[in-house]
Each structure stands twice: as C-alpha cells, then as structure tokens.
Coordinates of all heavy atoms in Angstrom, one line a residue:
L1 N 107.1 73.6 85.5 CA 107.0 73.3 84.1 C 106.2 74.3 83.3 O 106.6 74.7 82.2 CB 106.2 71.9 83.9 CG 106.8 70.7 84.7 CD1 106.0 69.4 84.4 CD2 108.3 70.5 84.2
L2 N 105.2 74.8 83.9 CA 104.4 75.9 83.2 C 105.3 77.1 83.0 O 105.3 77.7 81.9 CB 103.2 76.2 84.1 CG 102.2 77.3 83.5 CD1 101.7 76.8 82.1 CD2 101.1 77.6 84.4
V3 N 106.0 77.5 84.0 CA 106.9 78.7 83.9 C 108.0 78.4 82.8 O 108.3 79.3 82.0 CB 107.6 79.1 85.2 CG1 108.6 80.2 85.0 CG2 106.5 79.6 86.2
A4 N 108.5 77.2 82.8 CA 109.5 76.8 81.8 C 108.9 76.9 80.4 O 109.7 77.0 79.4 CB 110.0 75.4 82.1
S5 N 107.6 76.7 80.3 CA 107.0 76.7 78.9 C 106.8 78.1 78.4 O 106.6 78.3 77.2 CB 105.7 76.0 79.0 OG 104.6 76.9 79.6
M6 N 106.9 79.1 79.3 CA 106.5 80.5 78.9 C 107.4 81.1 77.9 O 106.9 81.8 76.9 CB 106.5 81.4 80.1 CG 105.3 81.0 81.1 SD 105.3 82.0 82.6 CE 105.1 83.7 81.9
P7 N 108.8 81.0 77.9 CA 109.6 81.7 76.9 C 109.3 81.3 75.5 O 109.2 82.1 74.6 CB 111.0 81.2 77.3 CG 111.0 81.0 78.8 CD 109.6 80.4 79.0
A8 N 109.0 80.0 75.2 CA 108.7 79.6 73.9 C 107.4 80.2 73.4 O 107.2 80.5 72.2 CB 108.7 78.0 73.8
V9 N 106.4 80.2 74.3 CA 105.1 80.7 74.0 C 105.2 82.2 73.7 O 104.7 82.8 72.7 CB 104.0 80.5 75.0 CG1 102.8 81.2 74.8 CG2 103.8 79.0 75.2
L10 N 105.9 83.0 74.6 CA 106.1 84.4 74.4 C 106.9 84.7 73.2 O 106.7 85.9 72.6 CB 106.7 85.0 75.7 CG 105.8 85.0 76.9 CD1 106.7 85.2 78.2 CD2 104.7 85.9 76.8
A11 N 107.8 83.9 72.7 CA 108.5 84.1 71.5 C 107.6 84.2 70.3 O 107.9 85.0 69.4 CB 109.6 83.1 71.3
R12 N 106.6 83.4 70.3 CA 105.6 83.4 69.2 C 104.4 84.3 69.5 O 103.8 84.8 68.5 CB 105.0 81.9 69.1 CG 106.1 81.0 68.5 CD 106.0 80.9 67.0 NE 104.8 80.4 66.5 CZ 104.4 79.2 66.5 NH1 105.2 78.2 66.8 NH2 103.2 78.9 65.9
S13 N 104.1 84.6 70.8 CA 103.0 85.4 71.1 C 103.4 86.3 72.2 O 103.0 86.1 73.4 CB 101.8 84.5 71.6 OG 100.6 85.2 71.8
P14 N 104.1 87.4 71.9 CA 104.7 88.3 72.9 C 103.8 89.0 73.8 O 104.2 89.5 74.9 CB 105.6 89.2 72.0 CG 105.1 89.1 70.7 CD 104.5 87.8 70.5
Q15 N 102.6 89.1 73.4 CA 101.6 89.8 74.3 C 100.8 88.9 75.2 O 100.0 89.3 75.9 CB 100.5 90.6 73.4 CG 101.2 91.7 72.5 CD 101.8 92.8 73.4 OE1 101.2 93.2 74.3 NE2 103.0 93.1 73.0
A16 N 101.3 87.6 75.2 CA 100.5 86.7 76.1 C 100.7 87.0 77.5 O 101.8 87.6 77.9 CB 101.0 85.2 75.8
V17 N 99.7 86.7 78.3 CA 99.8 87.0 79.8 C 99.4 85.6 80.5 O 98.3 85.1 80.1 CB 98.9 88.1 80.2 CG1 98.9 88.3 81.8 CG2 99.2 89.4 79.5
Y18 N 100.2 85.3 81.5 CA 99.9 84.1 82.3 C 99.3 84.5 83.7 O 100.0 85.3 84.4 CB 101.1 83.2 82.5 CG 101.5 82.4 81.3 CD1 102.0 83.0 80.1 CD2 101.3 81.0 81.4 CE1 102.3 82.2 79.0 CE2 101.7 80.2 80.2 CZ 102.2 80.9 79.1 OH 102.5 80.1 78.0
V19 N 98.1 84.1 84.0 CA 97.5 84.4 85.3 C 97.5 83.1 86.1 O 96.8 82.2 85.7 CB 96.1 84.9 85.1 CG1 95.5 85.2 86.5 CG2 96.2 86.3 84.3
L20 N 98.2 83.1 87.2 CA 98.3 81.9 88.1 C 97.7 82.3 89.4 O 98.2 83.0 90.2 CB 99.7 81.4 88.3 CG 100.4 80.6 87.2 CD1 100.3 81.3 85.8 CD2 101.8 80.2 87.5
V21 N 96.4 81.7 89.6 CA 95.7 82.1 90.8 C 95.8 81.0 91.9 O 95.5 79.9 91.7 CB 94.2 82.3 90.5 CG1 93.4 82.8 91.7 CG2 94.0 83.3 89.3
G22 N 96.3 81.5 93.1 CA 96.4 80.6 94.2 C 97.8 80.7 94.9 O 98.5 81.7 94.6
G23 N 98.0 79.8 95.7 CA 99.4 79.8 96.4 C 99.5 80.6 97.7 O 98.9 81.7 97.8
L24 N 100.2 80.0 98.6 CA 100.6 80.7 99.8 C 101.7 81.8 99.5 O 102.3 81.6 98.4 CB 101.1 79.8 100.9 CG 100.1 78.7 101.4 CD1 100.7 77.6 102.2 CD2 98.9 79.3 102.1
P25 N 101.9 82.8 100.3 CA 102.9 83.8 100.0 C 104.3 83.3 99.6 O 104.9 83.8 98.6 CB 102.9 84.7 101.3 CG 101.5 84.5 101.8 CD 101.1 83.1 101.5
N26 N 104.8 82.3 100.4 CA 106.1 81.8 100.0 C 106.1 81.0 98.7 O 107.1 81.0 98.0 CB 106.6 80.8 101.2 CG 105.7 79.6 101.4 OD1 104.5 79.7 101.5 ND2 106.3 78.5 101.4
Q27 N 105.0 80.4 98.4 CA 104.8 79.6 97.1 C 104.8 80.6 95.9 O 105.4 80.4 94.9 CB 103.6 78.7 97.2 CG 103.7 77.6 98.2 CD 102.5 76.8 98.3 OE1 101.4 77.4 98.2 NE2 102.6 75.5 98.6
V28 N 104.0 81.7 96.2 CA 103.9 82.7 95.1 C 105.3 83.3 94.9 O 105.7 83.5 93.7 CB 102.9 83.8 95.5 CG1 103.0 85.0 94.6 CG2 101.5 83.2 95.6
A29 N 106.1 83.5 95.9 CA 107.4 84.1 95.8 C 108.3 83.1 95.0 O 109.2 83.6 94.2 CB 108.0 84.4 97.2
Q30 N 108.2 81.8 95.3 CA 109.0 80.9 94.5 C 108.7 80.9 93.0 O 109.6 80.9 92.2 CB 108.7 79.4 95.0 CG 109.4 78.3 94.3 CD 110.8 78.3 94.5 OE1 111.4 77.9 95.5 NE2 111.5 78.8 93.4
V31 N 107.4 80.9 92.7 CA 107.0 81.0 91.3 C 107.5 82.3 90.6 O 108.0 82.3 89.5 CB 105.5 80.8 91.1 CG1 105.1 81.1 89.7 CG2 105.0 79.5 91.6
R32 N 107.4 83.4 91.4 CA 108.0 84.6 90.9 C 109.4 84.6 90.6 O 109.9 85.1 89.6 CB 107.6 85.8 91.8 CG 108.1 87.1 91.3 CD 107.6 88.3 92.2 NE 106.2 88.5 92.0 CZ 105.2 88.3 92.9 NH1 105.6 87.8 94.0 NH2 104.0 88.5 92.7
S33 N 110.1 83.8 91.5 CA 111.6 83.7 91.3 C 111.9 82.9 90.0 O 112.9 83.2 89.3 CB 112.3 83.1 92.5 OG 111.9 81.7 92.6
W34 N 111.1 81.8 89.8 CA 111.3 81.1 88.5 C 111.0 82.0 87.3 O 111.8 81.9 86.3 CB 110.3 79.9 88.5 CG 110.6 78.9 89.5 CD1 111.7 78.5 90.1 CD2 109.6 77.9 90.1 NE1 111.6 77.5 91.0 CE2 110.3 77.1 91.0 CE3 108.2 77.7 89.8 CZ2 109.6 76.1 91.7 CZ3 107.6 76.7 90.5 CH2 108.3 75.9 91.4

C-alpha cells in the first residue's frame, strides 16, 4: 500500500524520498519490484 501511494505523492512532491528500513533480502527484493 505504501508503494502504491508513492506515485501520487511524487506527482506533487517530485523530490520526495522514501526510506524503508528493514526486511530480509527476499522481502527487500519484493518491495523493489513493486
């Protein structure tokens, strides 16, 4: 859901950066793919 929210936020604030700390390697890869 958080990744799904990003396009709308970036459309209004294009310099925004999302920092997601945590996750096992396979989980991080999944979020990156989203």
Side-chain angles (χ1 to χ4, degrees):
L1 303 180
L2 183 59
V3 173
S5 76
M6 290 176 61
V9 174
L10 290 165
R12 291 270 300 276
S13 187
Q15 296 300 311
V17 176
Y18 282 72
V19 177
L20 280 57
V21 184
L24 299 171
N26 64 307
Q27 295 170 326
V28 171
Q30 175 67 78
V31 173
R32 182 174 287 111
S33 72
W34 292 335

